[in-house]
Amino acid sequence: MAETTRCGFAALVGAPNAGKSTLLNRMTGAKLSIVSPKAQTTRFRVLGILIREKTQILLVDTPGIFRPRRKLDRAMVAAAWTGSDDADITLLLIDAKSGLTEAVEEIMDRLAKAGRKVWLVLNKTDLVHREALLPLTAAVTEKLSVEHVFMVSARSGSGVDDLLDKLAETLPEGPYLYPEDDLTDLPDRLLAAELVREQIFMQTHEEVPYGATVETESYKERPDGSVRIDATIYVSRAGHKAILIGERGQKIRQIGERARKQLSALLERECHLFLNVKERSGWDEERARLRAIGLDDVP
């Protein structure tokens, strides 16, 4: 008699910088979603796939939810809510240090109206006194019905196993939707672009990362088993292009080298990465650019 398996989607939803991407990477044990100390790093839904006991847990990392201004912003927020609407369980991630911000309150209001199955996950609990967590939990549950409460540190891993165990026993019975050795449904081309974009966040400052996008122009397998990747970084201003290239091309070489090392480790093969920087004013309002980075079109 075949053993019963379970499979389902759990969406990570929260305000920017709640730690969703760090938690996804911690839960899957792989670098799937790019992480930086800056808010609004994630731009589209990222699926992390893991097996716990006899359950295939499909974790959806969504962009942080905030008030959108640009077309890019609107597409990011739409992707976040679609991720929640499609999931079996919504994991509301709240930064325990920041507490109930206005952004968090707005997310809770919308979840309450939608009647979603919500679990509360208080993150960064290693940065606050334990006695502060109970009043925060009470304030959330007063406004939003939650089935379970978890206190975790995505950075250290504390409490994450308890969350995974509960997901494994709660998600619905059914066959696995992805091969057992899959880690994500992200195409390698998109993964390459995202790792370059992460290095832009890590190595440049202020508005430069938010004014840049990365597209993989070509991805070619080579006879020796390695891969050649050509990617273009689009920036909205000439000044940003100069910053990214750096003096004598030093900055762009550094970005490319660090991204290449991470990509080689993730793909478990040698990668040859070539970067080009182009100024393209208004790329964040272009439908083609948004589709290229995995976002659905929005009005």
Side-chain angles (χ1 to χ4, degrees):
M1 185 174 157
E3 287 188 88
T4 301
T5 58
R6 295 176 178 272
C7 182
F9 290 86
L12 293 161
V13 169
N17 243 17
K20 296 180 296 297
S21 297
T22 304
L23 183 58
L24 175 87
N25 293 343
R26 170 68 66 178
M27 292 167 87
T28 59
K31 179 67 173 289
L32 300 180
S33 200
I34 70 172
V35 176
S36 89
K38 302 178 178 74
Q40 297 168 31
T41 307
T42 302
R43 283 181 176 164
F44 54 85
R45 281 173 287 162
V46 176
L47 183 69
I49 304 165
L50 70 125
I51 293 175
R52 187 86 166 183
E53 301 299 332
K54 292 292 178 183
T55 303
Q56 188 173 65
I57 302 173
L58 307 173
L59 294 163
V60 185
D61 178 23
T62 63
I65 296 169
F66 56 98
R67 286 184 179 163
R69 295 192 308 276
R70 305 172 293 173
K71 189 162 191 166
L72 169 66
D73 299 339
R74 294 195 296 277
M76 287 163 61
V77 172
W81 283 119
T82 302
S84 173
D85 293 343
D86 293 344
D88 297 287
I89 295 168
T90 295
L91 303 176
L92 172 59
L93 201 65
I94 295 178
D95 179 339
K97 195 174 180 189
S98 301
L100 282 190
T101 62
E102 186 179 347
V104 172
E105 299 252 17
E106 288 182 11
I107 293 166
M108 287 167 49
D109 287 344
R110 177 151 174 179
L111 288 173
K113 287 174 187 169
R116 309 298 304 164
K117 183 184 283 191
V118 178
W119 295 4
L120 173 62
V121 182
L122 296 182
N123 188 29
K124 308 183 187 180
T125 54
D126 52 331
L127 302 179
V128 298
H129 292 296
R130 299 293 289 183
E131 54 267 25
L133 297 174
L134 286 178
L136 176 56
T137 303
V140 173
T141 54
E142 188 180 321
K143 296 188 171 188
L144 179 67
S145 176
V146 303
E147 289 194 348
H148 301 287
V149 179
F150 298 88
M151 299 184 182
V152 308
S153 166
R155 186 180 59 169
S156 72
S158 171
V160 173
D161 280 337
D162 291 340
L163 174 56
L164 284 171
D165 287 342
K166 195 65 180 175
L167 284 170
E169 69 180 51
T170 306
L171 288 169
E173 290 185 7
Y176 293 170
L177 295 179
Y178 292 88
E180 291 191 34
D181 56 352
D182 277 11
L183 286 174
T184 183
D185 66 343
L186 267 191
D188 291 345
R189 294 172 66 97
L190 203 49
L191 204 54
E194 280 294 275
L195 289 176
V196 172
R197 197 166 65 83
E198 178 179 51
Q199 287 305 318
I200 295 171
F201 266 89
M202 300 304 287
Q203 297 189 50
T204 63
H205 305 289
E206 296 171 358
E207 77 274 15
V208 176
Y210 300 102
T213 190
V214 184
E215 290 181 29
T216 300
E217 306 288 354
S218 78
Y219 186 100
K220 293 179 180 172
E221 309 275 348
R222 292 169 43 139
D224 62 0
S226 66
V227 62
R228 175 186 170 123
I229 302 163
D230 291 87
T232 297
I233 303 169
Y234 290 103
V235 295
S236 48
R237 298 180 190 170
H240 292 178
K241 181 177 179 178
I243 291 168
L244 274 173
I245 293 172
E247 191 174 348
R248 296 180 181 172
Q250 189 174 0
K251 179 64 72 178
I252 196 68
R253 278 197 300 273
Q254 196 174 45
I255 288 169
E257 183 60 21
R258 291 186 184 177
R260 184 195 64 76
K261 284 181 180 176
Q262 288 203 342
L263 195 57
S264 295
L266 201 56
L267 299 180
E268 297 180 327
R269 63 200 301 189
E270 189 178 355
C271 295
H272 307 277
L273 179 62
F274 298 88
L275 300 179
N276 184 25
V277 186
K278 290 183 181 178
E279 182 190 350
R280 194 178 184 109
S281 178
W283 70 261
D284 51 3
E285 296 287 345
E286 290 181 34
R287 291 182 177 183
R289 297 282 78 74
L290 301 188
R291 283 198 297 271
I293 61 173
L295 283 168
D296 295 328
D297 195 19
V298 293

